[in-house]
Amino acid sequence: MSTDSDKASIPTDADLLALHVKGDPDAFGEIVRRHRDRLWAVALRTLSDREEAADAVQDALVSAYRAAHTFRGQSAVTTWLHRITVNACLDRARKAASRRTSPVAETERLEQLLEPQESAAAPAERQDLHRELLSALRTLPEEQRAALVLVDMQGYPVAEAAAILDIPTGTVKSRCARGRARLLPLVTHLRTDNGDSKPTSGGRNRAQGTSVPPTAGPKDTGAVKGGGGRA
């Protein structure tokens, strides 16, 4: 049974970041352990590509590792990490759009997005729904997609999503509204005959799936080039 003294001895994220800046070799690894699965979920839903999402998370962690000394505590460490991760995702989305010459086969890419346990256990109807929702989401501009992923799929309050994206709350609301308007005609056929929507993903940390695939540690900067956006 944990006591109040035990809880008091557990360092906060801010404590760990400060220890990392001072040279503690294990502090940043503990931050990664605490938050990597959530960052992975956001990256996967933003980019809709497992390999790109894993690379974006790695980019973000390397950037955070290097920029830890710039953290001033105006926001929570987790908000700071999410902001870096979203920026890393948007950077990768823009680069992918600029170099895209031919579309990847739809079924091939979407099959890679299904989590192993869902592929084996979920009814075929739910798998089809999952595919179609991801396909529709990918048609949005990356800024609208990022806002919708945070607010509608991860369940973040608008104010927190605004802090993560480093934009005004009104901009988050307008991006979500425009994104929903663009998605509506693409997902209307997913509704049942009685007008009820089929189950969709939603809520913070729901269906995050497996942990982010193993990647090089934050100190292995040679394995990742570039950064993850603003720190």
Side-chain angles (χ1 to χ4, degrees):
M1 186 177 200
S2 62
T3 64
D4 291 340
S5 60
D6 291 332
K7 293 178 181 178
S9 65
I10 299 175
T12 65
D13 291 342
D15 292 336
L16 289 170
L17 203 61
L19 288 171
H20 163 64
V21 172
K22 292 178 181 178
D24 188 307
D26 302 317
F28 195 82
E30 174 61 17
I31 293 176
V32 172
R33 185 192 69 78
R34 291 180 183 183
H35 300 290
R36 186 168 61 177
D37 283 355
R38 187 180 295 180
L39 300 178
W40 164 243
V42 169
L44 181 59
R45 286 187 168 92
T46 303
L47 292 169
S48 299
D49 183 289
R50 296 182 69 86
E51 183 176 350
E52 285 288 316
D55 287 345
V57 171
Q58 180 68 0
D59 286 354
L61 291 176
V62 170
S63 290
Y65 182 91
R66 292 171 173 169
H69 66 283
T70 68
F71 180 75
R72 294 292 179 262
Q74 291 95 338
S75 61
V77 171
T78 183
T79 299
W80 179 70
L81 288 172
H82 274 70
R83 183 183 304 155
I84 295 174
T85 300
V86 169
N87 283 326
C89 290
L90 296 182
D91 285 345
R92 285 194 163 269
R94 293 185 189 104
K95 291 175 183 176
S98 66
R99 67 173 179 263
R100 188 177 297 124
T101 55
S102 60
V104 176
E106 194 73 9
T107 54
E108 178 184 343
R109 170 170 287 189
L110 290 174
E111 282 295 336
Q112 296 172 359
L113 299 177
L114 293 174
E115 302 300 339
Q117 63 269 31
E118 182 172 271
S119 296
E125 182 180 283
R126 183 173 178 182
Q127 293 184 33
D128 290 341
L129 173 65
H130 187 62
R131 290 187 183 95
E132 292 196 55
L133 286 174
L134 289 172
S135 179
L137 189 65
R138 277 211 317 278
T139 66
L140 299 180
E142 58 263 24
E143 290 83 2
Q144 293 176 17
R145 189 191 318 164
L148 280 177
V149 165
L150 290 174
V151 175
D152 287 356
M153 301 184 73
Q154 295 298 108
Y156 285 96
V158 169
E160 193 169 349
I164 290 171
L165 297 171
D166 196 22
I167 57 178
T169 56
T171 303
V172 173
K173 292 178 181 178
S174 63
R175 288 181 181 178
C176 286
R178 290 198 301 270
R180 291 173 192 133
R182 291 174 67 114
L183 282 179
L184 184 60
L186 301 178
V187 299
T188 300
H189 67 287
L190 299 180
R191 301 177 68 87
T192 58
D193 292 338
N194 62 6
D196 295 329
S197 296
K198 295 180 182 178
T200 59
S201 57
R204 185 183 300 193
N205 299 330
R206 183 195 178 282
Q208 289 183 3
T210 55
S211 299
V212 59
T215 55
K219 291 184 180 180
D220 188 6
T221 55
V224 178
K225 297 180 180 178
R230 295 188 298 275

